[in-house]
């Protein structure tokens, strides 16, 4: 009976506990893949960049931030490493482990809540608990490496799909707070992975189309411009630090370029 029910919030917690136990075991037993690190134990590839920029932000080194940030990486990609290092120093706990634990919150949300909720909004066949667990099992089999890396892919796609979910809910339930947070979340996604800016372009196109149809009185469902205004306001608020970073590099814009 339980497996045929639908409890996404409860399953999100279960999934997070399973991931946390697994990653903590790998971390404490020193069995993380050696490919994560270089010979001097520095993180490999993009992970090292995210981690070091997080250190720069933590130390309020604005000159270093201006000189060492890549223009095609948004500032949000180093927010979790920065928070992890602050917590690690305060509690005297390994900051890398904390980073894994924080990143895996988004993995659990994605698999346990956001994808099932999106399915139930778009599909007449509603998700069940056993299907959520199958989804998690498949992800664990093929993508569990994402549970112990300092990368932003999971956080980015989580906020992207969360934004889509909130956008649908805002239109469905006429709740302006949902559309505001939808803008915030798509901005966070874009500030992690620049290609997600196409999601913003899509909403911008929808806004233009909605107003064109309004002029000719052709649309069946009208979306109020106040909804779109809140969406774009959410985008702008989260992008303010990136605007400053871009300006210091001689570029006027609100996203990575």
């Amino acid at each position: 009976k339980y497996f045929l029910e639908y409890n996404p919030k409860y399953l999100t917690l279960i999934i997070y506990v399973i991931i946390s136990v697994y990653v903590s075991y790998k971390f404490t037993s020193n069995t993380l893949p050696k490919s994560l690190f270089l010979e001097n134990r520095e993180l490999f590839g993009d992970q090292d960049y995210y981690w070091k920029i997080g250190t720069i932000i933590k130390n309020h080194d604005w000159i270093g931030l201006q000189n060492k940030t890549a223009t095609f990486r948004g500032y949000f990609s180093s927010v979790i490493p920065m928070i992890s290092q602050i917590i690690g120093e305060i509690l005297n706990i390994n900051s890398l482990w904390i980073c894994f634990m924080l990143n895996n919150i988004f993995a659990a949300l994605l698999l346990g809540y956001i994808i099932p909720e999106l399915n139930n909004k778009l599909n007449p066949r509603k998700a069940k608990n056993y299907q959520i667990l199958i989804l998690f099992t498949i992800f664990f089999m093929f993508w569990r490496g994402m549970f112990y890396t300092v990368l932003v892919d999971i956080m980015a796609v989580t906020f992207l799909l969360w934004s889509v979910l909130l956008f649908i809910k805002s239109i469905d339930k006429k709740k302006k707070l949902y559309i505001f947070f939808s803008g915030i979340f798509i901005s966070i996604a874009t500030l992690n992975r620049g290609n997600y800016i196409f999601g913003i372009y899509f909403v911008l196109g929808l806004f233009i189309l909605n107003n064109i149809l309004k002029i000719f009185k052709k649309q069946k469902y009208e979306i109020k411009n106040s909804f779109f205004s809140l969406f774009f306001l959410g985008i702008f608020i989260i992008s303010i630090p990136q605007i400053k970073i871009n300006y210091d590099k001689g570029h006027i814009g609100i996203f990575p370029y």
Side-chain angles (χ1 to χ4, degrees), residues 73-114:
R73 289 283 187 265
Y75 81 91
F76 220 94
S77 59
S78 294
V79 166
I80 296 300
M82 175 199 67
I83 294 173
S84 304
Q85 292 174 47
I86 292 173
I87 295 174
E89 288 183 4
I90 293 173
L91 301 180
N92 196 26
I93 299 175
N94 192 300
S95 298
L96 192 58
W97 176 79
I98 293 173
C99 188
F100 296 158
M101 293 299 102
L102 292 178
N103 269 331
N104 288 330
I105 292 173
F106 303 114
L109 275 170
L110 178 69
L111 300 170
Y113 176 74
I114 295 170

Side-chain angles (χ1 to χ4, degrees), residues 46 50 73 152-153 156 188-197:
D46 288 349
Y50 299 139
R73 289 283 187 265
V152 298
D153 303 76
I188 292 173
T190 303
L191 289 167
N192 279 303
R193 300 287 299 190
N195 54 322
Y196 289 157
I197 196 171

Side-chain angles (χ1 to χ4, degrees), residues 209-221:
L209 179 63
N210 182 68
N211 280 279
I212 291 174
L213 293 176
K214 189 186 297 182
I215 294 171
F216 293 98
K217 298 181 179 180
K218 294 291 186 181
Q219 81 272 42
K220 188 176 181 180
Y221 300 104

Side-chain angles (χ1 to χ4, degrees), residues 167 170-171 174-176 179 203 206-208 210-211 214 219 221-232:
F167 191 90
S170 71
I171 303 302
K174 309 297 182 186
K175 289 192 175 181
K176 292 184 177 181
I179 196 74
V203 177
L206 188 63
F207 166 71
I208 296 170
N210 182 68
N211 280 279
K214 189 186 297 182
Q219 81 272 42
Y221 300 104
E222 178 185 336
I223 305 173
K224 293 182 178 179
N225 284 338
S226 59
F227 271 73
F228 287 107
S229 299
L230 287 170
F231 179 84
F232 292 119

